[in-house]
Amino acid sequence: MTPPATRDNFVPALLAWFDAHQRPMPWRARAGQTPNPYHVLLSEAMLQQTQVATVVPYFLRFIDAFPTIDALARANEQQVLRLWQGLGYYSRAHNLLKAARMVVERFDGMVPRTVDELLTLPGVGRYTAGAIASIAYDTHAPILDGNVVRVLCRIDALRRDPRDKAVQFQLWARAESLLPDCRTGDFNQSMMELGATVCTPKNPSCLICPVQQMCRAHAQGIQDRIPPAKQTKPLKAERRWVFCVQRCDGKYLIEQRPPIGRWAGMWQFISVEAATDMITPAVARAACGYALKGLTPLATVHHTLTHRQYQFDAYRGTAKARANAISPRRWATLAEMEELPFSKPQLAIRKRLGESE
Ligand code: SF4
C-alpha cells in the first residue's frame, strides 16, 4: 500500500533532492544568499508560458540594461519591448513595466511581500503572487502552475481534468496542505523543478524520482494517463499581406501597431488582412497610400500562437514618395529598424528583405 504524500514524508524527500539537483539559474540565490526580489519578479514575468533556457539570455540582458526596479520603472515602453523582442506574449512586457512603476510609486521601490499586495500589480495572478512572495521572502504561500499540477495529480492518482474549476480548488488546497513552515520558496521551486525535469508530461523518470515511494500514479502504473490529455481545438487561420515599400533614398515605410491588442506598440511593415486570394495594385495602393512599382513576392512566413495560425505573404515594391509619412507611420532604413521592437514574423520578413538587398 502506497502511503499518501504528507508534509512529513514528501517535503524532506523533495527538498533533499532539490538541494542536490536544482539547476543553476541566474535569478536564483546561491546558498547563503538572500534572493533579490526584483530578479524574482522579473524572472516570474518572463517564465510564464516560456521555458527556462529561452528566458536566461533575456533575463541577463534585462538586468544589464535595468539593474534595479527603479531603473526599469524609468525606462520607456519602446526600450522594454525591444529587449523583450522574440520572447513573445508581449502583454507581459507592458504589465512588467506598469508593475515596476507601481512598485516605485506605491511601495517605495520594494517588491511587496504579501500575496494580497502582489495581486494589485498588473499581470500578477494567484500563481505569480505566490511564487514571488515565497521565493523572494519565504512567505507562506502555495503555488500552482502546470508543473505543480502534474506532480500533485500524479502523487494522488487524481484522474480528473485539472482544468476543471472544482479540481483547481482541490489542487490549491492540496498544494497548501504540503507547504512546509520554512523553506517555502525552496519547496515551491522544488515542485516546479521536479515537474520540469523528472515528472515530465511524457515518459516521467519515475525510477529516479525522489517521491516515488509515495506516488500513487506510479504504484498503479497510470502516470502516463495523468493528467488526461487536453482536447485540442483546430487553430484559427489568419492571413495577412505585408508590403515592404521602399522609396528612392532606400528607406522603408513602417508603422507602429496600436497601443492595445496583439504586438501592441511594436513596429511592422505595412500589414493588412488578406481579404481576397489575389493581390492587386489597387489593394496595395489602398494599404500603403502609394502606387507601388515592381510589386514582387518577397517571402511567406508562418507564425503559430496559442489559438491562431498566421500566414504573412510579404511583397516588396517601390514608391515615388518624397513626403514624410504621418504617425504612426515613418520611413526607416534597415539599420534604424534595429533599434525598434518588431514581432517575430515581422523580424523574419525584415531579415529576408536584408538578404535580398
Ligand atoms: Fe511523477 Fe513518477 Fe515521481 Fe510519480 S514517481 S511523481 S509519476 S516522476
Side-chain angles (χ1 to χ4, degrees), residues 26-27 37 47 53 65 70 82 94 104 145 158 172 239 246 297 302 308:
W27 48 87
L47 286 165
D70 294 83
R82 177 64 186 82
H94 292 279
V104 169
D145 73 344
L158 186 65
W172 275 105
R239 194 165 160 227
Q246 192 174 31
H302 296 277
R308 270 169 226 278

Side-chain angles (χ1 to χ4, degrees), residues 333-354:
T333 62
L334 290 173
E336 286 164 345
M337 289 180 218
E338 294 282 341
E339 303 300 315
L340 302 172
F342 274 64
S343 67
K344 230 179 191 174
Q346 294 283 336
L347 274 177
I349 293 167
R350 198 173 90 193
K351 185 163 178 266
R352 191 68 66 83
L353 195 57

Side-chain angles (χ1 to χ4, degrees), residues 10 150-152 154-155 194-195 198-200 203-219 222-224 226:
F10 189 80
R150 189 166 55 257
V151 172
L152 290 176
R154 285 176 173 169
I155 59 166
L194 187 77
V198 176
C199 194
T200 46
N203 305 321
S205 307
C206 300
L207 285 178
I208 57 161
C209 177
V211 294
Q212 188 213 91
Q213 298 298 317
M214 54 216 91
C215 178
R216 294 189 160 173
H218 172 70
I222 56 171
Q223 62 272 23
D224 287 320
I226 293 180

Side-chain angles (χ1 to χ4, degrees), residues 18 36 52 64 70 79 110-111 123 205 215 229 267 276 287:
F18 183 65
N36 179 325
V52 168
D64 193 40
D70 294 83
Q79 290 174 292
M110 299 286 292
V111 175
S205 307
C215 178
W267 290 82
T276 59

